[in-house]
Amino acid sequence: MLASFGLPKNITKKVNKEISSVFEISDFSTEMIIVSEDINTKLPTKIKPDNLFKVMDNTTIIGYFYVGKAPSKTDQFDYMVVFDKNLNVVKTKVLIYREDYGNEIGSKRWLKQFIGKTSSDSLKYGQDIDAISGATISANSMTFAMSSLLKTVAILKAKEAF
């Protein structure tokens, strides 16, 4: 299972559950992906020591995941993105949403729009990604966060940081 690596305990538990579910595996390990500062300064999404990980079954990489925060109307929400070993999105999940309104962005139906996306896909809120009435700020924020993350993954892949 995943060691917390600075992630809050409640987030670690949710991440472990999602990783187990996505990869249909109960015994796995994770390894932080460390990005040098000179590369990190050029990335759309900054990589910290506790937000981008490899998922491994013994010594075989089976995928990756990212845990981040995005702004909502008055606060932030925590989300995770799970990638397969080819860096295609296989799952997105809102882990903690802290607002009274806009929690529709956590629905499986809305989040499934991101499945299969890669760095070559366009992600524009209201065009490529459906808008949500009553959750405009959060949904737009999630779409922007995903777009930035996919661009970051493409840069890191090109620089062989994975």
Side-chain angles (χ1 to χ4, degrees):
M1 291 297 248
L2 171 71
S4 66
F5 294 116
L7 294 174
K9 200 179 287 188
N10 59 338
I11 293 204
T12 300
K13 188 175 180 179
K14 291 177 182 192
V15 165
N16 284 336
K17 180 180 175 187
E18 292 303 322
I19 296 299
S20 293
S21 173
V22 168
F23 295 110
E24 299 177 346
I25 189 169
S26 60
D27 188 25
F28 60 90
S29 62
T30 62
E31 183 180 312
M32 287 186 290
I33 297 174
I34 306 295
V35 177
S36 69
E37 191 58 36
D38 63 312
I39 293 173
N40 211 2
T41 58
K42 298 173 182 126
L43 298 176
T45 298
K46 303 304 176 221
I47 303 302
K48 300 173 191 164
D50 62 351
N51 66 358
L52 184 62
F53 300 87
K54 296 176 189 176
V55 180
M56 295 176 293
D57 180 10
N58 293 317
T59 58
T60 305
I61 297 172
I62 58 173
Y64 303 88
F65 73 92
Y66 173 85
V67 176
K69 291 183 181 285
S72 53
K73 187 173 182 178
T74 62
D75 208 336
Q76 292 183 323
F77 59 91
D78 297 283
Y79 67 95
M80 78 177 289
V81 181
V82 182
F83 299 92
D84 65 15
K85 62 184 175 184
N86 298 315
L87 298 169
N88 299 314
V89 175
V90 293
K91 175 93 182 212
T92 54
K93 173 95 175 164
V94 174
L95 299 169
I96 299 175
Y97 193 78
R98 297 174 181 88
E99 300 275 358
D100 293 332
Y101 299 99
N103 61 349
E104 295 90 344
I105 67 159
S107 76
K108 289 180 185 178
R109 187 170 152 244
W110 189 77
L111 289 170
K112 76 178 182 180
Q113 297 178 90
F114 297 107
I115 295 174
K117 299 295 185 190
T118 66
S119 58
S120 61
D121 289 307
S122 173
L123 297 179
K124 298 223 185 290
Y125 180 69
Q127 295 175 20
D128 308 302
I129 301 298
D130 294 338
I132 301 177
S133 179
T136 304
I137 294 170
S138 297
N140 193 30
S141 181
M142 181 68 176
T143 303
F144 180 78
M146 285 294 298
S147 181
S148 294
L149 178 60
L150 290 173
K151 290 173 187 169
T152 295
V153 166
I155 294 166
L156 292 175
K157 186 176 181 182
K159 296 195 178 284
E160 298 180 359
F162 285 100

